[in-house]
Amino acid sequence: MSQHDTRSRVAIIGTGAIAHAHAEALGQLADSVEIVAVADVDAQKAREFAARFGATRFYTDAAELLDTETLDLVHICTPPQSHVPLALLAQRAGVPSLVEKPIALSLEEVDRLVASEEATGVPVLTVFQHRYGAAAQRLRRLADSGALGRPQVATCETLWYRPDEYFDVPWRGRWEVEGGGPTMGHGIHQFDLLLSVLGPWSRVSAFAARQSRPTDTEDVSIAVAEFEGGALATIVNSVVSPRETSRLRFDYEFATVEVEHLYGYTDRDWTFTPAAGHEELAELWNADSDVVSGHRLQIEAVLAALAAGERPGVGIHDSRRTLEFAAAVYASAFRGVPVRSGEIDSDDAFARSMDGGLVPWARVKEAIR
């Protein structure tokens, strides 16, 4: 925390739609946080965003912002291809960053952040806000305590709908800009939560397809994963599903725990079903939080950890594990073979890019001029 104010000083780079979610969350924490500056390559957008959310200054150059301002945290809310360069700039400036997903476009890129963090000691964090909802934290505590027994079966579904017009935005639907389709940009929130509950995965077998959208990436992927703890899970990521839903289900020996929501959950969206003979477990669930699993919960936790000199989540190594899962989905789908954890090494084409140079369909997006 800075010496000039009792509040944490933060800045936001990028002023698109997701930046508004960050700014609104920060506004809910106004007693302890101040947005001191914003940056966007479009000066008009930067000026309007700063005025709307009470930032004192705006910049058109992120490096100038980082060199000029005294910050406790910078929020990186730009298109995915710029995440790693901006996070590296922040690390060199000594400023922790909270980066929208996906944190990087490849394992090779994320490993640059790992090396930079080791060299600078400055953390780079990923926005995976669903980890911070009250129910997810309760589930992890119960699971870790052994009260639910062994995890056996899980289902993770991100069934969303994006019309053709969604891909009119020039940078959308491009491997080189977004890193992938719904596996990287949409479903990653749900399967990150799955991984945070079930722990390390050991093997993935997957399919991916471009069913109907005008995109170079997949618009659907389906994976089956095996976890070190023995659980088996299915993971579906889609942007062609008219009835949109985000659903997770965990079947333990002694209870089923499930949630269905869309972009954020409260306790009301969760169901806890104990197995016969284990009805007393329902008392341990005790769900009564009406706070949505949005950005505010993670931002609040990150700033509290930084102020206390503690390591905040979700750190770079957690982020890498989730990104490795996405890479394994693509590698398995395009190579037609199962992929084991750790199998994608630095020499592998799927470490350099999520498409691995093996996409079986033709490009449809025009070259960006």
Side-chain angles (χ1 to χ4, degrees):
M1 192 172 294
S2 76
Q3 298 176 351
H4 307 292
D5 197 323
T6 57
R7 296 183 296 171
S8 297
R9 295 168 59 86
V10 307
I12 299 174
I13 299 176
T15 63
I18 201 63
H20 286 71
H22 283 248
E24 288 163 5
L26 289 164
Q28 297 169 20
L29 302 170
D31 289 344
S32 59
V33 184
E34 175 189 7
I35 304 175
V36 298
V38 302
D40 196 286
V41 293
D42 186 318
Q44 182 65 23
K45 288 182 178 179
R47 181 184 298 108
E48 292 174 354
F49 190 93
R52 175 174 176 179
F53 293 106
T56 306
R57 289 169 294 281
F58 70 89
Y59 297 81
T60 56
D61 184 278
E64 183 183 358
L65 182 155
L66 290 165
D67 287 342
T68 305
E69 301 291 344
T70 300
L71 300 171
D72 298 297
L73 181 69
V74 62
H75 298 240
I76 297 176
C77 303
T78 51
Q81 72 177 142
S82 63
H83 288 175
V84 168
L86 289 171
L88 290 170
L89 276 178
Q91 286 178 314
R92 288 194 287 270
V95 181
S97 57
L98 179 61
V99 186
E100 267 297 334
K101 52 75 188 167
I103 193 168
L105 301 187
S106 67
L107 293 178
E108 184 176 75
E109 275 198 346
V110 81
D111 285 338
R112 291 174 61 198
L113 294 178
V114 172
S116 180
E117 183 165 318
E118 290 175 354
T120 64
V122 179
V124 55
L125 315 166
T126 306
V127 175
F128 283 130
Q129 70 270 23
H130 294 324
R131 289 190 182 208
Y132 289 83
Q137 296 196 60
R138 186 184 307 113
L139 172 56
R140 282 193 294 269
R141 286 195 301 269
L142 287 176
D144 292 345
S145 76
L148 304 180
R150 185 169 58 86
Q152 300 181 117
V153 182
T155 301
C156 175
E157 296 174 342
T158 302
L159 300 170
W160 291 359
Y161 186 83
R162 297 293 182 267
D164 287 357
E165 294 74 26
Y166 175 82
F167 296 95
D168 288 345
V169 176
W171 56 265
R172 284 187 177 144
R174 300 177 183 276
W175 293 100
E176 67 274 18
V177 179
E178 290 196 283
T183 312
M184 281 285 277
H186 304 82
I188 196 168
H189 275 303
Q190 309 308 321
F191 67 72
D192 174 76
L193 180 52
L194 178 88
L195 297 177
S196 80
V197 173
L198 292 182
W201 58 276
S202 57
R203 183 171 53 164
V204 171
S205 187
F207 295 87
R210 183 178 64 192
Q211 299 287 29
S212 57
R213 294 291 170 263
T215 173
D216 290 345
T217 68
E218 89 286 3
D219 53 23
V220 174
S221 70
I222 298 177
V224 178
E226 181 180 38
F227 287 79
E228 288 183 8
L232 298 178
T234 58
I235 299 96
V236 183
N237 308 291
S238 167
V239 289
V240 300
S241 303
R243 189 184 81 79
E244 295 187 286
T245 187
S246 306
R247 190 174 77 92
L248 287 130
R249 173 173 172 148
F250 301 89
D251 291 322
Y252 291 84
E253 287 181 280
F254 309 136
T256 291
V257 188
E258 54 194 317
V259 60
E260 185 165 359
H261 66 111
L262 189 50
Y263 301 132
Y265 62 78
T266 68
D267 276 350
R268 291 189 299 273
D269 299 308
W270 289 74
T271 303
F272 185 92
T273 307
H278 297 274
E279 288 79 8
E280 76 285 353
L281 290 176
E283 297 178 11
L284 299 177
W285 186 246
N286 192 24
D288 60 3
S289 173
D290 61 358
V291 178
V292 177
S293 62
H295 287 75
R296 181 178 72 81
L297 291 175
Q298 182 172 2
I299 292 169
E300 190 173 30
V302 166
L303 289 171
L306 290 172
E310 300 171 353
R311 181 176 293 275
V314 177
I316 192 63
H317 294 290
D318 275 345
S319 302
R320 192 192 190 285
R321 281 189 287 271
T322 298
L323 202 68
E324 185 192 4
F325 185 87
V329 169
Y330 289 123
S332 175
F334 296 148
R335 285 180 171 149
V337 296
V339 174
R340 293 189 174 277
S341 177
E343 183 176 329
I344 302 175
D345 61 23
S346 59
D347 295 326
D348 195 305
F350 284 93
R352 296 189 293 274
S353 66
M354 290 288 166
D355 66 2
L358 293 177
V359 180
W361 52 78
R363 287 177 175 263
V364 295
K365 298 283 284 189
E366 293 182 5
I368 297 178
R369 294 183 176 85

